[in-house]
Amino acid sequence: MNDPDSGEKPSVSGARVAGDAGRPKRSRRRKGKQKGATAPSVVSLSAGQVDGSTGTAERPQSAPGGGSNARRNKRRRHGKVAGGENVRPLVPVGQSESPHPDERHAEGRRNRRKHRGKKASARVSQPVSGSAVVQPATQAFIEQRPSVPHEPRRDAGSAPRGGERDGFEMPLYAALDLGTNNCRLLIAQPTRPGQFRVVDAFSRIVRLGEGLGASGRLSEEAMDRSVEALKVCATKLKSRNIRRARLIATEACRSAENGETFLVRVKEETGLDLEIINRETEARLAVSGCSSLVGREAKSVVLFDIGGGSSEIAVIRIGDNRSSRLANHITHWTSLPVGVVTLSERHGGRDVTPESFQGMVSEVEGMLAKFDCPGDIVHAPEDFHLIGTSGTVTTLAGVHLDLPRYDRRRVDGVWLSDDEVTAMQARLLSWDFNARAANPCIGPDRADLVLAGCAILEAIRKRWPSRRMRVADRGLREGLLTDMMADDGVWRRGRHRRNHRAGPRNPAKPEGQAS
């Protein structure tokens, strides 16, 4: 049989399995025109069909050159055409007789391997009607058409991608933490049990507690900075369909005389309704946010969160029966009314000498002496370690790793030995303010606060000596998200499907957020 474009083409024999009729055709060579409606045993090859395996049998066409009939005639029944005649065997180009069936199968396997993995864009689809040959204008359009990124297929039974489960989109949760020094927001989506994927985040140093230790009130400048940051958070929250949110304020609003008045202003200007949490709730949230960083071998842990206006410390004894919520293992906790902002304002954070640094350490040690906590919490050095979650410990880790710029992925979860922490504190104490500000992991915004945080850390290390400390770049926001998701049961199998059908509890007004 001769093809009008490429000369002689082989004939086709064989049949297609009935179950493959609905699948997309995998053509190997450009389809030629049907030659004669009266010869059902002779058909043309599809585009690029050179695999050499059993080919495609077609029914006779009523009119020559009918492209649509050629496409429809790809359906075969057990190797027989419409007239009931078997088609002739596939004859390779230049060979007059049919090869042995085993040779045909071997040739087909070789060609299939050869063509496997080629991009789908290289295959030319056949027109719906008319000739099977692609016209030049159509070919030019196909070649100039921009490529579309290929979406990888997910087989049935494979694990869903983040944010999906059982074919449903997982809900969004939001957590906002307005602290003494920072305003932070996280919007996340639950994924695997106990984990979530961050969809959006915001963090800005506002120094809400600036001057609070001396006056007992929030200054107008500090409140203005905080309101501007909260407006950004409000815009992010309103742009997404948040199922549930919790917005909290901590020590600055808790201890200031005008803290409640400031939150009324925040609601009027931003629409956000913040709640002031107590110190115990703050300590439990810090533990919840860092629960995944507690080693499985640990029997006891001291977790501390050095904030801007207060420092929370939780003593955790795990024992043999570990709960899914690490906060249930808290045996003792305390909240020191001192943070990096308040301590640096009292002792000076810009120019710190070894004497002034020791004065800060002694002040914190005096506060810790009032904390009634048994001293036998350490079973063995291998079973006990510290966990620090604050800008102080993350800064120490970043400087220790000598990062050209701060990278949370490298800092979060890193272990520091006791000797490494001591060396890093001595290194920072040897730097002046300009040297600290020039470090990319400190910067000018934290250069006057980092040594005050090191003094609080040193007092904690003296009270609970440990061979190692784990650094956590996480805290209250992660604890808020973890608690909300656990309360809603989004990580329990099948629970989300029922919640999805019932709809969100109150999509118009998430918890803690004004409409």
Side-chain angles (χ1 to χ4, degrees):
M1 176 178 64
N2 293 328
D3 183 80
D5 295 327
S6 305
E8 183 179 0
K9 291 292 182 73
S11 58
V12 181
S13 67
R16 194 177 194 178
V17 180
D20 295 341
R23 298 180 187 171
K25 305 176 183 64
R26 300 184 62 183
S27 56
R28 300 299 183 189
R29 205 179 273 171
R30 201 155 43 89
K31 183 183 297 183
K33 293 183 179 181
Q34 181 77 15
K35 289 297 182 178
T38 59
S41 60
V42 180
V43 295
S44 61
L45 291 178
S46 58
Q49 190 176 11
V50 293
D51 56 355
S53 61
T54 53
T56 303
E58 296 185 356
R59 284 176 285 185
Q61 296 182 357
S62 58
S68 60
N69 291 334
R71 293 175 62 86
R72 287 195 297 269
N73 288 339
K74 283 292 183 179
R75 306 187 185 105
R76 274 85 53 201
R77 296 286 192 277
H78 304 291
K80 295 182 180 182
V81 294
E85 300 179 5
N86 292 329
V87 293
R88 292 189 284 108
L90 178 65
V91 181
V93 177
Q95 183 174 336
S96 59
E97 295 181 358
S98 299
H100 191 274
D102 293 338
E103 297 178 2
R104 293 202 307 270
H105 292 309
E107 180 68 20
R109 285 193 297 270
R110 286 194 295 270
N111 286 327
R112 281 194 295 271
R113 286 194 296 267
K114 176 181 177 181
H115 292 279
R116 184 177 300 155
K118 288 190 175 182
K119 295 182 179 179
S121 58
R123 303 186 187 119
V124 180
S125 59
Q126 301 297 329
V128 175
S129 60
S131 173
V133 179
V134 179
Q135 301 300 326
T138 305
Q139 181 66 34
F141 170 77
I142 294 174
E143 293 175 353
Q144 296 174 4
R145 188 174 50 185
S147 60
V148 180
H150 176 65
E151 179 70 16
R153 182 176 61 88
R154 216 168 49 237
D155 296 330
S158 62
R161 288 172 295 192
E164 298 180 9
R165 192 176 70 187
D166 297 333
F168 296 107
E169 186 75 9
M170 298 295 279
L172 293 177
Y173 291 80
L176 186 146
D177 170 26
L178 178 62
T180 305
N181 194 49
N182 291 276
C183 176
R184 298 185 179 99
L185 171 70
L186 270 186
I187 300 176
Q189 202 171 39
T191 55
R192 291 177 292 178
Q195 300 183 23
F196 53 80
R197 178 177 64 91
V198 175
V199 176
D200 200 355
F202 173 79
S203 180
R204 179 179 296 178
I205 296 178
V206 296
R207 298 208 177 196
L208 179 60
E210 187 177 43
L212 177 61
S215 64
R217 296 178 59 85
L218 302 176
S219 66
E220 290 296 329
E221 294 80 4
M223 289 190 290
D224 291 342
R225 292 193 298 264
S226 302
V227 168
E228 291 302 317
L230 289 171
K231 287 180 180 178
V232 178
C233 297
T235 301
K236 290 179 175 291
L237 290 171
K238 292 176 182 177
S239 65
R240 298 184 181 274
N241 184 20
I242 307 296
R243 176 181 179 179
R244 190 176 175 189
R246 192 174 180 188
L247 321 176
I248 65 171
T250 55
E251 181 63 24
C253 296
R254 190 165 53 215
S255 59
E257 296 177 3
N258 56 344
E260 294 283 355
T261 305
F262 168 66
L263 294 187
V264 172
R265 174 189 170 185
V266 169
K267 187 173 182 179
E268 292 175 352
E269 297 189 20
T270 67
L272 301 179
D273 188 9
L274 276 68
E275 60 170 315
I276 300 177
I277 61 173
N278 56 38
R279 291 184 172 91
E280 181 179 3
T281 302
E282 188 171 354
R284 293 183 65 88
L285 289 173
V287 172
S288 297
C290 302
S291 58
S292 62
L293 295 181
V294 176
R296 283 290 174 183
E297 75 287 352
K299 298 299 181 182
S300 56
V301 174
V302 170
L303 185 145
F304 58 90
D305 181 5
I306 302 175
S310 66
S311 298
E312 281 64 43
I313 301 173
V315 178
I316 304 168
R317 291 187 179 183
I318 300 173
D320 296 330
N321 299 323
R322 179 167 179 167
S323 172
S324 58
R325 294 196 180 189
L326 191 65
N328 295 337
H329 295 287
I330 297 176
T331 59
H332 300 78
W333 70 273
T334 187
S335 179
L336 306 180
V338 63
V340 295
V341 176
T342 54
L343 194 63
S344 63
E345 287 180 349
R346 285 200 292 268
H347 294 267
R350 184 180 180 91
D351 300 316
V352 181
T353 64
E355 293 75 20
S356 61
F357 180 79
Q358 185 58 43
M360 289 189 284
V361 175
S362 299
E363 180 180 345
V364 180
E365 283 182 315
M367 296 180 182
L368 282 176
K370 302 176 184 179
F371 178 34
D372 185 14
C373 175
D376 59 345
I377 63 170
V378 180
H379 297 80
E382 299 80 13
D383 300 334
F384 172 75
H385 66 84
L386 298 173
I387 292 184
T389 165
S390 64
T392 298
V393 293
T394 56
T395 298
L396 283 174
V399 176
H400 169 72
L401 296 173
D402 198 21
L403 299 178
R405 58 187 296 271
Y406 185 81
D407 187 351
R408 180 188 184 277
R409 295 171 298 179
R410 296 188 60 184
V411 169
D412 185 47
V414 70
W415 290 94
L416 296 178
S417 68
D418 185 63
D419 293 339
E420 289 172 339
V421 176
T422 301
M424 290 312 305
Q425 289 187 161
R427 183 180 178 186
L428 292 180
L429 189 58
S430 66
W431 291 352
D432 60 8
F433 176 83
N434 293 330
R436 296 194 300 269
N439 188 278
C441 294
I442 302 176
D445 292 332
R446 294 182 179 272
D448 60 337
L449 305 176
V450 63
L451 287 176
C454 289
I456 300 174
L457 172 60
E458 181 65 18
I460 294 174
R461 293 172 61 217
K462 287 184 176 181
R463 176 67 185 273
W464 294 283
S466 176
R467 292 182 179 177
R468 53 184 182 153
M469 179 184 73
R470 197 165 198 185
V471 178
D473 189 351
R474 57 184 75 189
L476 300 184
R477 296 173 301 167
E478 288 80 4
L480 290 168
L481 292 172
T482 300
D483 285 355
M484 286 188 291
M485 293 175 187
D487 291 340
D488 286 355
V490 295
W491 289 314
R492 291 201 293 270
R493 181 174 299 179
R495 175 68 179 270
H496 177 64
R497 181 186 294 272
R498 295 192 295 272
N499 288 345
H500 179 85
R501 291 174 179 173
R505 296 177 180 178
N506 190 357
K509 185 178 179 181
E511 178 180 327
Q513 179 182 349
S515 57

